[in-house]
Amino acid sequence: PIFHMTGHKGVLLTASGDTGRGKTTLLEAGASIWGDPDSMLVSGGQDGSTVNAWYSIIGTNHSLPMLWDDTTEREPEEMKKFMLNISQGKGKERMHGNVHDGKVVTWETIVQSSANTDDVNRVMASGKNVDPHLMRLISVEFDNVDRSTEMKLKADLFKRRIRDNFGHSGPIFIRYIVMNRELVKARVLAEMEKLDRAVSMESQERYWSAAIASMMIGAEIAYELGVSPYNPRLDEDFMKNHVRRMRVIH
């Protein structure tokens, strides 16, 4: 809900890795902040949702995240187009004859998705001139995950709990944002500048900067409000190093 404060409209964040690494659980946890995880998760499979449905859901959520589970089966060309379109903040304008139908879908959000295959590799393998697409994507590989029986039992318990307790943190967070909008915006912009200087961000990397800064400040506010137990500053070095890794991959 604070991503628009960066001056940008949309970006795609992907968790990638083999099955059983916790990617879907992560999306369910994110969804539970705002409401029922089962109702907020969008299927990313070919049979789960159409392209038009994606944009309808994004427009309906508008400033809340779209949680998009398992895009592995999607064609690389579809993903490339989505990466470009998500940053525009506006869907197709349609005509009925020579009259505009008046229905324009808009958004200002971060789309959070999961895939068993890294979207970066799929897009890079699809052809030339992929940099504009990849600059609108942050992909995080899920590899070092405990897959023991004990961890499975803990994960099962966690999933049951978020289905019994959901939708509490989001309203508290939103209430604070509404009452302190200018202060929050100043924090977001200051975080962007700090990050830009720390890792020498270039103009084509502006979506990375906006996404990381808004996520950092959003998580920090949640931590300060007591609705999240995790201090995001513990991940600050990881995110800076991840920017450097993405540059090498690209």
Side-chain angles (χ1 to χ4, degrees):
I2 63 175
F3 182 74
H4 68 280
M5 295 178 178
T6 66
H8 298 290
K9 298 295 186 180
V11 69
L12 176 62
L13 174 65
T14 297
S16 63
D18 291 340
T19 299
R21 300 298 176 93
K23 305 184 302 297
T24 297
T25 302
L26 170 72
L27 294 182
E28 290 171 341
S32 73
I33 293 170
W34 310 106
D36 184 347
D38 290 331
S39 67
M40 293 198 67
L41 230 61
V42 179
S43 173
Q46 290 284 5
D47 297 327
S49 54
T50 65
V51 174
N52 287 340
W54 299 348
Y55 293 109
S56 176
I57 292 167
I58 295 172
T60 299
N61 288 1
H62 195 266
S63 297
L64 296 183
M66 172 175 152
L67 292 309
W68 197 22
D69 189 32
D70 197 357
T71 62
T72 308
E73 295 180 357
R74 288 293 178 180
E75 294 295 330
E77 285 300 322
E78 280 185 327
M79 298 304 295
K80 284 173 64 176
K81 288 179 181 179
F82 184 81
M83 289 173 194
L84 286 181
N85 291 343
I86 190 63
S87 66
Q88 302 302 311
K90 188 176 182 179
K92 289 183 179 179
E93 299 199 35
R94 302 180 185 278
M95 302 289 288
H96 286 304
N98 60 352
V99 179
H100 193 286
D101 68 2
K103 300 175 182 178
V104 180
V105 174
T106 63
W107 59 80
E108 299 172 326
T109 191
I110 297 175
V111 175
Q112 300 170 37
S113 68
S114 69
N116 292 347
T117 306
D118 192 341
D119 285 333
V120 172
N121 292 328
R122 290 202 295 150
V123 169
M124 289 184 71
S126 67
K128 298 179 181 179
N129 195 29
V130 296
D131 277 354
H133 309 81
L134 296 180
M135 289 301 168
R136 292 157 170 81
L137 165 70
I138 296 177
S139 180
V140 180
E141 187 175 355
F142 276 48
D143 46 11
N144 298 322
V145 176
D146 184 347
R147 304 177 75 176
S148 66
T149 299
E150 285 302 313
M151 186 54 65
K152 175 195 176 298
L153 293 172
K154 290 180 180 179
D156 289 344
L157 176 61
F158 176 75
K159 288 164 77 78
R160 288 196 298 270
R161 284 181 172 170
I162 63 174
R163 280 171 171 74
D164 292 334
N165 299 278
F166 54 78
H168 304 297
S169 300
I172 296 171
F173 178 80
I174 292 293
R175 189 177 303 116
Y176 178 86
I177 300 304
V178 171
M179 294 178 67
N180 300 276
R181 186 180 182 281
E182 293 305 317
L183 173 62
V184 174
K185 183 177 180 179
R187 288 179 64 174
V188 169
L189 295 178
E191 187 70 19
M192 282 180 66
E193 181 175 348
K194 174 185 169 185
L195 179 64
D196 289 350
R197 295 185 185 282
V199 297
S200 301
M201 287 283 194
E202 299 180 359
S203 60
Q204 68 267 26
E205 299 168 341
R206 59 193 180 277
Y207 297 103
W208 296 351
S209 175
I212 294 172
S214 58
M215 288 188 290
M216 175 65 78
I217 296 303
E220 194 168 53
I221 290 171
Y223 180 66
E224 293 165 358
L225 293 173
V227 296
S228 168
Y230 305 109
N231 181 355
R233 291 297 166 187
L234 299 175
D235 279 339
E236 189 170 3
D237 288 340
F238 166 81
M239 288 191 282
K240 291 175 183 176
N241 289 329
H242 191 63
V243 169
R244 299 182 180 103
R245 286 193 293 270
M246 288 192 294
R247 287 172 177 160
V248 173
I249 293 171
H250 292 186

